[in-house]
Amino acid sequence: MRQHSRTGRAAIRQDARALTLDRASALSVWQSLALRALLVAGLLGIALLGHWLDRSGLRDTVDGEISFLDIVYFTTVTVTTVGYGDIVPVTPSARMFDSFVVTPIRLFVWLIFLGSAYSFVFRHSWARIRTGMIGRRLTDHHIICGFGSGGSAAVEELLRGGVAPGTIVVIDQDGARIDQAKGLGVITLCADATHNATLEAAMVANARVVLVSTGRDDTAALVVLSARQLNRDVPISVSVRAAENEDLLRQAGAVSVINPVSLGGHLLARSSTSANTVDYLRDLASADGRVMMIERAARADEIGSPLRAIASGIGLRIIRAGRDIGFWDDAADTIMAGDSIVEIVRVT
């Protein structure tokens, strides 16, 4: 039985002050490097121009002459280091220029170099190391493929039901959606879930369940096929839009196929004559409800007893060797080893 989790509820609350606008960078890696190189060249150009215009304030201790090549050399050495003492500023204006212009330029250049090294070397290396560390710890986890309206609602429901955020992996190609998922504290993977490499990175071989809500039935089918190829036993649930695709997705390997449109239509029609029934169904489906419907393996002390005699809740159905046995069937008079029981239990 799942328990309510205050931590889960707190995780899905969003502080309005923490919301920020963001978008994907318009520059590629090489464009970003080129932009940084141009910025460094511009800063060097400023220092070079200042030294050239005030070259009379510099002294060459080797030959006493200051040529353009000497200015280039002195600028480069001064910006990247503190100089070697072969060319030195001797006038107050030259010393002030080095103190208040060249020194800040030197700091900016080093920050650009260090930032580039971090962005394109250390950060990616650390990301690979951290991915490996997280992946090795992932087992019996939930994989959510797609973080649109359906996927995000599924994650929030899992959190409300007490599932730890660290056991939920969200896969989506949209960076903004991934950032939203990170705000819930779950593990994220910004990639295409239809690729085997993506699901392997999410450790689908060790997953407890795969939930697919990609927004497109063809994409969902590819995800289901890939997940089933990599793990023949993991339960896969998928959300579809077109009723004619439900059987196809079951054939692809989905255990549960949910059509929100048809389900919503059924509930809407039932509400016209049985509003209380619809409320009870909503109560069953939500982790915030007073009751819930669960499926579990039959316990040893229940073997041989009738379904109606179970003490944990109200028995509705027995799943035996892939066959559904209702509480009204004669076969429900005896629970057998290996049966699964569908029951309604009280949420405490």
Side-chain angles (χ1 to χ4, degrees), residues 199-210:
L199 294 174
E200 288 174 346
M203 302 299 290
V204 69
N206 301 332
R208 178 178 183 178
V209 66
V210 176

Side-chain angles (χ1 to χ4, degrees), residues 263-280:
L263 180 60
H266 293 326
L267 293 178
L268 186 63
R270 291 283 296 276
S271 67
S272 62
T273 57
S274 305
N276 292 326
T277 301
V278 173
D279 287 341
Y280 191 75

Side-chain angles (χ1 to χ4, degrees), residues 179-191:
D179 289 340
Q180 182 184 0
K182 287 180 181 177
L184 300 179
V186 302
I187 301 169
T188 59
L189 186 58
C190 189

Side-chain angles (χ1 to χ4, degrees), residues 22 71 75 114 185 203 206 225 234 291-292:
D22 194 11
I71 295 296
T75 299
L114 292 174
M203 302 299 290
N206 301 332
L225 286 169
V234 64
V291 293
M292 64 186 306

